[in-house]
Amino acid sequence: MKEIGEGIVIDSTKIEKMKNLDSIIFDCDGVLIDVSNSYDLAIKKTVDFITKEMAQINESGLVTTKMIEGFKNSGGFNDEIDVTYALILGIVAAKKRNTPFHDFILQVIENADQTGIRSVEKYLNVINVDVSDIRQKLAYPGKKFQNPLSSIFDEMFYGSELYEQLYKRKPQFFHGLGLIENDVVLLNEDLITKLHQRFDKRIAIVTGRGNLSAKHSLKDLFKEFDLNNSKFLEDEPREMAKPNPQSLMSTIRGMNASVSLYVGDSMEDYIMARKVDESGMPTVFCGVYGTSKDPEAKKSLFENNNADIIVKSIDQIPKTLNLV
């Protein structure tokens, strides 16, 4: 790995490949949008609500952003509701074992892997802690509206108006503005102009978000992307979730791209891009670390996994591509 500017690291063995890039595809959360006070806060508030109402555990504020990132760094937790579910199981299990939650959840995260919530359930079985009662109450993952976890999370995140627009039903648990209004858009017109100059119309999104929430937060910038070939995985079957490479492969094929740059901030993003590249569709991965609660740890994670490009923010992408 070679540092070619402040906050910019590249794998110098991939320079020739980078010179041939003809498309760019973005993850959304943590890349185009800072979600620390929206999605992350929805996780924390949903955990507090459910552990109190369904598990009679009256302790709030147990979940930290570092815990959320810990699950995401395992490679199997692209879905925020999966992270929420894992944290709830962890709190209930820690209570049953009479173990401090903070210490216990670190063990759970260490045993989490690309199989996501299955790896958490498996670990709890291995250490012989019975959480079947809360699992039955949550009925997760299950179908929408048939499990309370998804409904509570979505109502809290989207707010009454967007929730009703999205699901054609009135919220049951929460009313008013959703935490999505706390999204901070990191993309700007200057950057999108530079990207169009480099990639023309081959600029797309592959994200775990739904189309409606991405459009709501990105506003006018949303239409700057090739939306016909973008993928919004919340709207797709669960098995399409990252790191399944099918969505990214479909986007690349749809844009008729030769060598693509995928920009993400998580291990799911990295694994997905690697799978696509290994399948014979040349793909360069760019890891963004500046939106992390612990930027240096995220940077090290990408360095240790030999990411092709590592940048602090998406604003550095044009400069990075000009330097290679």
Side-chain angles (χ1 to χ4, degrees):
M1 304 298 287
K2 178 183 178 185
E3 189 140 351
I4 60 170
E6 189 176 345
I8 303 171
V9 179
I10 65 164
D11 179 348
S12 54
T13 67
K14 305 287 181 65
I15 286 177
E16 286 307 310
K17 195 174 185 180
M18 294 173 196
K19 286 179 179 177
N20 293 316
L21 289 168
D22 63 355
S23 72
I24 187 166
I25 303 155
F26 289 90
D27 176 34
C28 196
D29 301 329
V31 177
L32 299 176
I33 298 172
D34 185 334
V35 297
S36 52
N37 285 311
S38 54
Y39 263 126
D40 286 4
L41 192 55
I43 291 172
K44 295 172 184 177
K45 284 183 173 291
T46 303
V47 169
D48 284 352
F49 180 84
I50 287 179
T51 50
K52 181 181 178 183
E53 297 297 324
M54 295 187 180
Q56 290 71 55
I57 298 173
N58 290 309
E59 293 180 62
S60 60
L62 291 172
V63 176
T64 66
T65 302
K66 192 170 182 180
M67 292 173 188
I68 295 169
E69 290 195 352
F71 279 113
K72 287 181 171 287
N73 289 344
S74 72
F77 286 88
N78 185 60
D79 189 312
E80 278 77 10
I81 306 181
D82 283 6
V83 177
T84 307
Y85 176 71
L87 286 161
I88 292 166
L89 294 191
I91 288 173
V92 172
K95 200 74 175 175
K96 290 194 173 190
R97 288 168 61 91
N98 200 26
T99 303
F101 170 66
H102 183 271
D103 298 337
F104 183 74
I105 205 67
L106 292 180
Q107 296 171 31
V108 176
I109 290 168
E110 283 175 13
N111 286 275
D113 59 30
Q114 286 185 47
T115 62
I117 59 175
R118 289 200 302 276
S119 64
V120 171
E121 292 170 342
K122 180 181 176 183
Y123 174 67
L124 296 180
N125 283 335
V126 167
I127 63 172
N128 201 28
V129 56
D130 182 11
V131 291
S132 57
D133 47 355
I134 190 67
R135 285 180 63 183
Q136 286 171 3
K137 288 178 182 177
L138 296 178
Y140 187 77
K143 293 181 179 178
K144 288 273 185 189
F145 318 122
Q146 291 182 11
N147 75 85
L149 176 55
S150 294
S151 296
I152 292 167
F153 185 96
D154 284 347
E155 288 178 24
M156 200 175 284
F157 178 72
Y158 287 111
S160 306
E161 191 177 321
L162 267 185
Y163 182 86
E164 196 167 340
Q165 186 182 335
L166 184 61
Y167 295 123
K168 308 295 184 276
R169 57 187 284 148
K170 291 190 180 296
Q172 293 178 283
F173 302 94
F174 297 97
H175 301 275
L177 284 176
L179 293 169
I180 190 174
E181 306 305 334
N182 294 343
D183 274 350
V184 176
V185 178
L186 304 172
L187 182 66
N188 56 61
E189 289 185 8
D190 179 55
L191 176 56
I192 204 78
T193 298
K194 290 176 181 175
L195 294 174
H196 277 304
Q197 288 169 351
R198 171 67 190 256
F199 298 105
D200 195 16
K201 295 180 180 179
R202 287 188 176 132
I203 304 174
I205 298 172
V206 172
T207 175
R209 272 198 187 219
N211 182 296
L212 180 68
S213 67
K215 182 179 181 181
H216 180 81
S217 293
L218 289 172
K219 298 182 170 59
D220 287 346
L221 292 170
F222 187 65
K223 64 179 184 293
E224 297 291 342
F225 294 88
D226 179 349
L227 299 175
N228 288 330
N229 290 305
S230 293
K231 298 295 177 186
F232 302 92
L233 298 173
E234 189 178 324
D235 307 329
E236 302 286 339
R238 184 176 172 83
E239 57 268 21
M240 290 296 290
K242 301 174 189 176
N244 186 327
Q246 293 304 315
S247 55
L248 183 54
M249 293 168 77
S250 175
T251 294
I252 291 169
R253 277 195 296 265
M255 292 195 295
N256 196 27
S258 298
V259 185
S260 301
L261 178 64
Y262 185 71
V263 186
D265 73 318
S266 69
M267 282 306 294
E268 293 94 345
D269 296 327
Y270 168 83
I271 293 164
M272 178 177 68
R274 279 285 182 265
K275 285 181 176 180
V276 173
D277 188 54
E278 289 164 4
S279 77
M281 302 178 78
T283 304
V284 172
F285 175 75
C286 174
V288 178
Y289 67 88
T291 53
S292 171
K293 183 71 175 175
D294 188 343
E296 288 307 311
K298 179 62 68 74
K299 184 182 180 186
S300 295
L301 179 71
F302 286 139
E303 286 177 330
N304 293 337
N305 283 278
N306 298 312
D308 305 314
I309 299 172
I310 304 169
V311 294
K312 189 170 186 179
S313 87
I314 53 174
D315 288 329
Q316 295 171 303
I317 291 174
K319 179 183 176 182
T320 303
L321 297 180
N322 287 336
L323 289 173
V324 298

